Amino acid sequence: MGEKNIKQSIEILENDLSTIRGVSTWAEECGYENPKNFYRHFIKRYQLPPKKAHLQIKMKRALHLLKEYPDKKCHFVAIEIGHSGQNSLNAFLNNQIRMSPRAYRSLNTHTRQQVYEEWKQKVDILKSRAKE
């Protein structure tokens, strides 16, 4: 049962990122009654804890939205990745890339793209492991 849902877990998270706020909710969305079973299956498939994968997918989405939609308010970006608001988004980005959303948006295009590509590559690796 679980193996099939683990292969789809990345897609499930990407499609419902605004409401999946943690591993327990993600496990439920993938059909697991016990988050520990989800955790074990996830690590076996992706060689990465689900919490870290969740963070990587949220970062990729946040950076994409900030990069592609410069006029979009940070509050709405925060809501789209499952955060409560702008302060939460600021803390999240500061913790991961040591800069605020405003600072990220003010980077030159090349540097902004490089930061985004680093996170995109991490998510692409996860997606490739889903296909194995």
Side-chain angles (χ1 to χ4, degrees), residues 47-78:
Q47 296 94 44
L48 185 74
K51 186 174 183 175
K52 189 165 185 173
H54 187 249
L55 177 142
Q56 290 175 353
I57 291 166
K58 281 180 15 177
M59 273 301 296
K60 178 190 169 215
R61 175 81 55 89
L63 296 175
H64 169 77
L65 293 170
L66 291 167
K67 178 173 70 76
E68 296 298 323
Y69 304 98
D71 295 332
K72 188 172 221 163
K73 301 271 186 208
C74 288
H75 173 78
F76 295 109
V77 172

Side-chain angles (χ1 to χ4, degrees), residues 73-132:
K73 301 271 186 208
C74 288
H75 173 78
F76 295 109
V77 172
I79 299 301
E80 285 191 40
I81 66 164
H83 283 265
S84 58
Q86 184 173 344
N87 290 341
S88 178
L89 178 67
N90 282 341
F92 179 65
L93 261 67
N94 272 312
N95 192 31
Q96 299 306 315
I97 61 171
R98 308 285 186 249
M99 65 180 74
S100 68
R102 180 179 290 182
Y104 173 72
R105 281 181 165 162
S106 69
L107 294 172
N108 68 54
T109 305
H110 178 73
T111 305
R112 193 171 52 237
Q113 184 66 28
Q114 280 184 314
V115 172
Y116 170 74
E117 288 296 329
E118 286 176 29
W119 288 93
K120 181 183 179 302
Q121 183 178 26
K122 292 175 184 183
V123 174
D124 288 347
I125 290 168
L126 288 172
K127 288 181 176 181
S128 71
R129 290 180 181 155
K131 295 174 184 175
E132 293 175 353

Side-chain angles (χ1 to χ4, degrees), residues 13-38:
L13 178 62
E14 286 184 322
N15 290 337
D16 209 9
L17 193 56
S18 64
T19 59
I20 297 176
R21 303 221 173 173
V23 175
S24 294
T25 310
W26 191 9
E28 286 176 23
E29 291 293 321
C30 292
Y32 284 83
E33 293 178 17
N34 185 341
K36 289 180 183 179
N37 288 336
F38 174 75

